[in-house]
C-alpha cells in the first residue's frame, strides 16, 4: 500500500521508489500513487506534483494559458535536437553576450572570448553526441512511448489534464519550429497519434 500524497521525506521517497520498481508494471504503480495524476498541470500552476487536491476545468484552462503565453520556451524531450535548435533560433547567442547595438557585433573582450569558447565547446560536444546517438534515440522514443502508452491504456490509466497540457505543448513546439525554420524528426501528428 502506497501512502496518500507524495511524501516529502527522503527516506520515505526511497521506500516508495523501491516499492514501485519491484512491481510488474512500475509505470502503472507510479501513476496510481495518490496525487500523481495531473502532475505536470499542477507544476505549471505552481503547485507541488504530489498534492492530492483535485483540479477543476478552470485550472486546466489556466495551465494551458500559462504554457502558451507565460513560458519563454517550450521544448520536447522526444525532439531534443530540434528543441536545442529552436532555443538557439529564438534566443541567439547575442542575447547572452555583450554586443554593440549599433553594429550588432559581439563586443570583443576576454570574458566574451571565454564565453564563446565554452559555448563552441559545448555545441561541439553536443553535436558529436547527437551524431552518435541522437537520431537513434529520437527514433526509439516513438517505440518506447508507444509501449508505455499501451501499458497505461491496458491498465485504464488516463490523465486528461496532463494529456491536454502535452497536446498544447506539441502545438506550441511545432508552431514555433515552423516559424523559426527548425526541422524536426517527427510531425506533431505523430505524437498526437501516440497520445490518443
Amino acid at each position: 500500500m502506497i501512502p496518500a500524497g507524495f511524501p516529502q521525506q527522503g527516506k520515505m521517497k526511497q521506500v516508495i521508489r523501491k516499492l514501485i520498481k519491484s512491481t510488474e508494471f512500475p509505470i502503472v504503480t507510479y501513476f496510481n500513487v495518490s496525487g500523481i495524476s495531473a502532475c505536470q498541470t499542477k507544476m505549471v500552476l505552481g503547485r507541488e506534483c504530489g498534492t492530492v487536491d483535485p483540479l477543476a476545468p478552470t485550472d486546466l484552462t489556466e495551465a494551458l494559458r500559462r504554457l502558451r503565453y507565460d513560458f519563454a520556451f517550450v521544448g520536447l524531450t522526444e525532439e531534443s535536437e530540434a528543441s536545442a535548435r529552436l532555443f538557439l533560433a529564438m534566443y541567439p547567442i547575442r542575447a547572452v553576450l555583450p554586443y554593440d547595438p549599433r553594429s550588432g557585433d559581439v563586443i570583443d573582450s576576454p570574458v566574451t572570448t571565454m564565453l564563446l569558447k565554452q559555448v563552441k565547446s559545448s555545441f561541439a560536444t553536443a553535436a558529436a553526441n547527437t551524431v552518435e546517438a541522437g537520431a537513434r534515440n529520437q527514433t526509439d522514443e516513438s517505440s518506447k512511448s508507444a509501449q508505455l502508452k499501451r501499458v497505461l491504456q491496458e491498465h485504464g490509466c488516463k490523465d486528461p489534464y496532463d494529456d491536454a497540457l502535452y497536446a498544447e505543448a506539441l502545438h506550441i513546439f511545432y508552431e514555433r519550429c515552423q516559424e523559426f525554420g527548425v526541422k524536426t524528426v517527427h510531425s506533431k501528428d505523430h505524437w498526437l497519434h501516440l497520445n490518443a
Side-chain angles (χ1 to χ4, degrees):
M1 176 74 186
I2 296 176
F6 197 80
Q8 299 304 314
Q9 298 83 10
K11 282 187 178 184
M12 188 57 116
K13 285 182 182 180
Q14 290 175 351
V15 168
I16 290 178
R17 284 184 187 126
K18 188 174 182 179
L19 174 65
I20 289 170
K21 288 179 180 180
S22 70
T23 63
E24 182 179 3
F25 297 106
I27 188 84
V28 173
T29 305
Y30 179 75
F31 180 88
N32 287 309
V33 170
S34 181
I36 292 303
S37 181
C39 177
Q40 297 298 316
T41 305
K42 290 174 192 174
M43 289 193 297
V44 166
L45 292 169
R47 301 178 191 172
E48 286 192 32
C49 174
T51 58
V52 291
D53 56 320
L55 295 179
T58 55
D59 291 321
L60 177 59
T61 302
E62 175 60 13
L64 295 173
R65 187 203 65 74
R66 288 183 184 188
L67 186 65
R68 179 162 290 278
Y69 298 107
D70 295 351
F71 279 57
F73 178 76
V74 174
L76 300 176
T77 303
E78 306 90 329
E79 291 277 8
S80 57
E81 184 179 351
S83 293
R85 292 181 188 281
L86 177 60
F87 183 84
L88 288 174
M90 291 176 69
Y91 303 102
I93 196 79
R94 287 190 187 130
V96 296
L97 292 176
Y99 73 98
D100 181 347
R102 290 169 287 169
S103 68
D105 294 332
V106 173
I107 296 171
D108 191 21
S109 74
V111 172
T112 304
T113 302
M114 179 191 70
L115 287 171
L116 283 172
K117 281 182 182 179
Q118 288 176 346
V119 168
K120 287 178 183 177
S121 173
S122 296
F123 282 119
T125 301
N129 291 340
T130 299
V131 168
E132 183 180 318
R136 181 185 73 243
N137 288 342
Q138 289 183 8
T139 302
D140 290 347
E141 278 301 318
S142 64
S143 174
K144 289 176 189 174
S145 294
Q147 289 172 353
L148 288 174
K149 194 69 172 173
R150 188 174 59 250
V151 167
L152 288 168
Q153 286 173 344
E154 287 170 359
H155 288 85
C157 301
K158 294 196 178 281
D159 192 339
Y161 287 94
D162 281 1
D163 286 348
L165 191 72
Y166 178 69
E168 182 67 2
L170 287 173
H171 288 292
I172 294 167
F173 175 76
Y174 284 102
E175 285 170 9
R176 291 180 182 167
C177 282
Q178 184 174 10
E179 177 184 346
F180 287 91
V182 174
K183 293 184 181 179
T184 59
V185 174
H186 296 288
S187 70
K188 172 179 62 177
D189 294 334
H190 170 83
W191 298 112
L192 286 173
H193 170 73
L194 286 179
N195 206 38

